[in-house]
Amino acid sequence: MESFRTEIENPIVQKDIIDLERKIALFRDGKIDDERFRSLRLARGVYGQRQEGVQMIRIKLPFGKVTSEQLLRITKVSDEYSTGRLHITTRQDIQIHYVSLDRTPQLWAELEKDDVTLREACGNTVRNITASETAGIDTEELFDVSPYAHAMFQFFLRNPVCQEMGRKFKISFSSSDKDTALSYLHDLGFIPRIENGERGFKVMLGGGLGSQPHHAELLSEFIPVNQIIPTTEGVLRIFDRYGERAKRLKARMKFLIKDIGRDEFLKLVDEEKKALSYQTVEIDTTAFDAEITAPLLEVPKVEIEDTPAFEAWKKSNVIAQKQAGYVAIGIKVLLGDFYTDKARALAELIKNYAANELRFTLRQDILIRHVKEENLPFFYQELAKLDFVALGYNTISDITACPGTDTCNLGIASSTGIAVELERVLETEYPQYSNNQEITIKISGCMNACGQHNMAEIGFQGMSINSGKLVAPALQVLLGGGNLGNGSGRFSDKVIKIPSRRGPDALRFILNDFEANGNGQSFLNYYDAKGEKYFYEFLKPLADLTNLTEADFVDWGNADNYVKAVGVGECAGVVIDLVATLLLEAKDKLTFAQEAFEEGKWSDAIYHAYAGFVNGAKALLLAENQKTNHQAGIIDLFDTVFVETNKIPLQSTLKALVFQIRENEPSQAFATKYIQEAIVFFKTLETFRAKDLQDEK
């Protein structure tokens, strides 16, 4: 391998990357099972594509914040290892595609030179923490939530409590009551509050989209800022321990809360308080409180030639900041895709003439911040050269779409192709909607809702329909979703399924009827007044399959007839249930525990030891063909199968042994005791397993 081994200054990062390199080699040699390797690489941002033999790389960018140096680093990596295309996700990440697995360690090392990580961008981890792109400049915000999102990211990156959960975990921070970061569909969503002069957050719990959307419940109307990290750690510990692990489709936290109830869930969180790493965590905001950086270069004076176009752009894409004299510029990015040549030019622009910062947005766009208002003509001129002045930032024509069948294993129908066509229809046929920010259109290529289709006013989900022996691409039309603000939202109704080629007509029918019969109401009030059946009836002619043409069997953006092909999804890692693998992993956890102990990280050491207990117990249960579906169940079942039958004699029950973790503060003394007990337990398991294998011969 190349010199990346010695170029990485941070020893923790260096160890991470070298470990990935080593695991890739073991996988190539057939020494790591494919499913277990998948779990490992996903937690390092390496994600399988629809196309065989190449990977999608997800670059984790907390709350979408990027400096010019980081953007240039990303462009360099994309040109060297990928295709030069950058894709902005709905979680404010950047994805690049068609990367060789063997080159991912070097790619990661290159990114880390400018403090950009892949760690925990995918897999059963805390995913990228999102925030309103206007955080810090929002005229309606109580305070900037950016430092709190950043502190949350830093605290849980590589944190042992959230490395191998049953499913992914999503966190958002909204800048104001408008809740533009959509707290109601996150596992934890934070909305800023001030009570008696103290900063804090309203916190929403247990939301999610996917095939079964669930509205988050209220956790608390006010949690002080120094409590948000301990509260999150408590929630993660309970989700890790009690979350479903056998049935992947039931493994998100929303299902756990549904099963045991909000009050019981929060009772378990409260019982975990003593074991937390810290009872309070003070968050330093000084890095975000500084004055806006002045431009490096003097901004040239520019004369605008097309004043009406410039004024239309200002009205559509320019946002006033709370800082007097400054504005932010929204760049509408079609499908969230742009290329490295434009990215490099953009990086130079913000470095030299703004404050060296932009943010990728939840709607797959770009927001340049801290531009002096008098410099707008210059920015308009420069952005026009990059074709970055398309109108409609954050409007109905700013359509969100996942990659769909372009690259995703789970894609059933094209989401990008139909998005392009719908934007064309809006631009050419409905100019009156050019500044409409009330209606959103979102598209997903399958039911998993990466394009957030089931929370939009107008949504489309990729499907397929059978017509005789042929299969045609289809869209389910969903209506009536939306963000209501302050932690409230609504999910869309599934109205009707139609051939994909008729998607544009569905949009025309809906908008035409809204104009004719909306009576000045908001779109959601109009939808509620008419009712789902009303829309089903007037869209019903589009669902007629007796008049399909050849074109209906060709999906948007494709030249060939549609073929339904769905692979194995990688939205979360799959845990491999092999006894030997789990025993090795348990041993690894004990090694990690000892390493953390030597670094004085008592809480981390204790949690690694806890994971060692659980993995070891699970290994032996699997050897007995005993089913397990969450960690607490593993502990109970081990006592039933092994301890109560005296197959494995312990000084106490495993439950009493393991759950000391929640009865003790994370001190050096307890860490010493707990790790030693975990080591003794593991040796007992090894002895039992060796005898068991001998007896089978």
Side-chain angles (χ1 to χ4, degrees):
M1 285 286 180
E2 298 174 14
S3 61
F4 74 86
R5 288 172 172 272
T6 56
E7 289 178 359
I8 306 163
E9 294 180 3
N10 187 326
I12 297 172
V13 174
Q14 183 186 60
K15 182 182 175 184
D16 251 357
I17 296 174
I18 291 172
D19 183 56
L20 176 61
E21 177 198 11
R22 183 171 62 87
K23 294 290 172 58
I24 290 171
L26 289 171
F27 172 67
R28 294 296 193 202
D29 291 342
K31 294 177 182 177
I32 296 182
D33 181 274
D34 181 64
E35 295 300 326
R36 183 59 202 146
F37 179 66
R38 179 189 300 179
S39 176
L40 181 137
R41 65 174 165 76
L42 283 170
R44 276 79 181 160
V46 183
Y47 194 103
Q49 273 186 219
R50 194 178 188 90
Q51 295 79 8
E52 236 177 284
V54 289
Q55 311 295 316
M56 178 271 280
I57 304 297
R58 183 175 292 151
I59 300 169
K60 193 172 189 177
L61 302 168
F63 51 98
K65 180 177 180 288
V66 180
T67 64
S68 64
E69 292 82 5
Q70 290 173 322
L71 185 55
L72 287 171
R73 179 66 59 185
I74 291 168
T75 63
K76 181 178 179 182
V77 162
S78 181
D79 285 339
E80 172 70 20
Y81 298 93
S82 179
T83 63
R85 188 187 76 167
L86 308 176
H87 176 72
I88 307 166
T89 76
T90 55
R91 294 207 66 75
Q92 299 174 291
D93 300 297
I94 286 288
Q95 290 177 179
I96 60 176
H97 295 83
Y98 301 97
V99 176
S100 164
L101 176 63
D102 295 321
R103 301 186 75 195
T104 53
Q106 296 101 309
L107 179 155
W108 188 0
E110 282 293 316
L111 288 172
E112 288 285 356
K113 291 177 182 178
D114 280 295
D115 199 25
V116 177
T117 191
L118 305 181
R119 180 76 194 224
E120 295 150 53
C122 309
N124 296 328
T125 61
V126 174
R127 297 292 186 86
N128 197 32
I129 293 174
T130 59
S132 303
E133 64 271 15
T134 53
I137 63 172
D138 192 334
T139 56
E140 297 185 24
E141 69 183 16
L142 297 174
F143 54 86
D144 184 3
V145 301
S146 305
Y148 304 99
H150 185 68
M152 191 80 80
F153 155 73
Q154 287 185 312
F155 190 89
F156 290 106
L157 189 71
R158 299 184 178 86
N159 194 306
V161 305
C162 51
Q163 294 307 298
E164 295 176 341
M165 298 181 292
R167 206 64 167 81
K168 59 190 172 184
F169 194 96
K170 297 181 176 181
I171 298 172
S172 74
F173 283 81
S174 286
S175 60
S176 73
D177 277 356
K178 285 186 177 178
D179 198 16
T180 54
L182 311 173
S183 66
Y184 65 95
L185 51 82
H186 281 78
D187 293 290
L188 282 174
F190 295 85
I191 303 171
R193 291 283 182 270
I194 292 179
E195 287 193 2
N196 301 318
E198 182 181 17
R199 289 183 178 186
F201 289 92
K202 175 179 180 176
V203 184
M204 303 299 294
L205 170 76
L209 286 178
S211 58
Q212 299 179 57
H214 185 266
H215 196 292
E217 301 183 50
L218 178 67
L219 188 154
S220 175
E221 280 288 355
F222 184 82
I223 292 179
V225 291
N226 64 5
Q227 288 288 322
I228 62 170
I229 286 176
T231 298
T232 301
E233 183 184 344
V235 169
L236 285 167
R237 282 169 172 260
I238 297 310
F239 178 49
D240 191 36
R241 188 171 304 153
Y242 293 94
E244 174 68 45
R245 290 171 184 266
K247 301 171 185 172
R248 183 174 173 277
L249 294 178
K250 296 288 185 181
R252 287 294 300 273
M253 193 174 73
K254 62 187 178 183
F255 295 109
L256 173 60
I257 294 171
K258 183 180 178 182
D259 288 344
I260 68 175
R262 170 191 175 276
D263 293 345
E264 177 61 23
F265 182 89
L266 294 181
K267 178 173 174 284
L268 292 170
V269 172
D270 189 62
E271 290 172 356
E272 200 70 17
K273 274 187 177 178
K274 199 170 187 178
L276 298 179
S277 312
Y278 304 94
Q279 295 304 306
T280 60
V281 176
E282 302 298 335
I283 295 171
D284 184 3
T285 65
T286 53
F288 293 84
D289 295 337
E291 292 294 318
I292 296 172
T293 306
L296 290 179
L297 303 179
E298 185 177 344
V299 177
K301 296 297 181 186
V302 169
E303 290 294 326
I304 294 295
E305 295 180 3
D306 188 343
T307 301
F310 173 63
E311 293 298 327
W313 171 77
K314 281 204 301 182
K315 181 180 178 182
S316 174
N317 292 25
V318 176
I319 301 166
Q321 293 191 184
K322 69 179 185 180
Q323 296 88 355
Y326 286 91
V327 295
I329 298 171
I331 299 173
K332 180 170 170 268
V333 183
L334 180 63
L335 305 175
D337 291 336
F338 66 118
Y339 287 83
T340 53
D341 56 342
K342 293 184 179 182
R344 279 190 293 273
L346 193 59
E348 292 301 324
L349 189 63
I350 64 169
K351 180 179 181 179
N352 293 326
Y353 301 109
N356 200 30
E357 179 190 334
L358 59 78
R359 296 203 185 179
F360 297 119
T361 82
L362 296 160
R363 291 181 70 166
Q364 302 174 289
D365 290 328
I366 298 169
L367 187 70
I368 302 175
R369 297 151 61 92
H370 307 318
V371 174
K372 288 188 175 180
E373 194 165 5
E374 65 263 29
N375 296 335
L376 277 174
F378 170 75
F379 271 85
Y380 178 73
Q381 171 188 277
E382 296 305 303
L383 292 173
K385 293 174 185 176
L386 302 176
D387 197 24
F388 273 169
V389 292
L391 304 184
Y393 176 78
N394 271 359
T395 68
I396 184 175
S397 65
D398 199 353
I399 296 174
T400 301
C402 70
T405 50
D406 289 0
T407 54
C408 180
N409 270 322
L410 291 176
I412 296 173
S414 172
S415 45
T416 58
I418 182 65
V420 171
E421 179 60 17
L422 294 183
E423 289 206 13
R424 187 198 66 78
V425 168
L426 286 166
E427 183 180 348
T428 58
E429 300 177 31
Y430 296 90
Q432 65 271 37
Y433 284 90
S434 61
N435 287 312
N436 183 295
Q437 296 188 344
E438 175 202 339
I439 302 171
T440 61
I441 299 175
K442 296 179 183 287
I443 307 169
S444 299
C446 75
M447 65 182 181
N448 286 307
C450 294
Q452 303 175 335
H453 66 277
N454 46 11
M455 56 75 61
E457 282 78 8
I458 302 173
F460 296 93
Q461 176 195 325
M463 307 185 85
S464 64
I465 49 174
N466 296 320
S467 177
K469 294 182 179 180
L470 297 175
V471 181
L475 293 170
Q476 186 169 69
V477 182
L478 299 93
L479 297 171
N483 175 21
L484 305 178
N486 196 24
S488 294
R490 38 191 285 175
F491 299 115
S492 316
D493 294 325
K494 299 173 182 176
V495 176
I496 197 168
K497 184 163 76 168
I498 61 174
S500 287
R501 284 285 169 178
R502 299 174 186 175
D505 278 341
L507 180 62
R508 291 182 181 102
F509 283 21
I510 293 163
L511 293 181
N512 290 344
D513 193 84
F514 178 45
E515 291 198 346
N517 301 305
N519 298 321
Q521 301 175 93
S522 70
F523 184 84
L524 290 182
N525 286 342
Y526 150 74
Y527 177 76
D528 290 341
K530 295 296 185 181
E532 179 186 339
K533 188 169 177 19
Y534 173 83
F535 293 89
Y536 172 81
E537 290 297 336
F538 80 64
L539 292 171
K540 192 175 178 180
L542 298 178
D544 184 1
L545 302 184
T546 63
N547 56 0
L548 293 178
T549 67
E550 285 187 21
D552 287 311
F553 293 94
V554 179
D555 207 353
W556 291 102
N558 291 273
D560 300 323
N561 275 14
Y562 173 77
V563 177
K564 183 179 178 180
V566 183
V568 177
E570 297 200 329
C571 295
V574 181
V575 178
I576 179 65
D577 291 341
L578 296 176
V579 176
T581 301
L582 280 169
L583 285 171
L584 284 171
E585 288 179 358
K587 196 169 185 176
D588 281 346
K589 302 299 183 192
L590 299 181
T591 301
F592 299 156
Q594 290 168 313
E595 290 173 350
F597 183 86
E598 289 167 7
E599 294 172 9
K601 298 177 179 177
W602 317 132
S603 180
D604 287 5
I606 292 163
Y607 208 87
H608 282 307
Y610 162 79
F613 273 120
V614 173
N615 277 19
K618 183 177 182 181
L620 262 62
L621 285 169
L622 290 171
E624 298 284 324
N625 294 316
Q626 295 287 339
K627 293 182 178 179
T628 58
N629 68 331
H630 55 68
Q631 291 181 347
I634 289 167
I635 293 163
D636 287 338
L637 192 56
F638 187 90
D639 279 334
T640 301
V641 174
F642 294 106
V643 180
E644 292 173 11
T645 59
N646 214 35
K647 285 184 178 180
I648 297 180
L650 300 177
Q651 295 297 315
S652 68
T653 62
L654 180 62
K655 186 173 184 177
L657 188 62
V658 172
F659 285 154
Q660 293 178 87
I661 191 174
R662 63 188 183 194
E663 297 162 5
N664 291 270
E665 293 179 359
S667 64
Q668 180 178 2
F670 177 61
T672 303
K673 175 177 180 286
Y674 197 66
I675 293 169
Q676 186 56 40
E677 288 171 339
I679 291 169
V680 170
F681 176 70
F682 183 74
K683 288 178 179 176
T684 302
L685 299 186
E686 282 189 313
T687 302
F688 179 87
R689 179 63 177 161
K691 184 178 182 302
D692 203 34
L693 291 174
Q694 185 63 37
D695 291 344
E696 288 178 6
K697 291 181 179 178

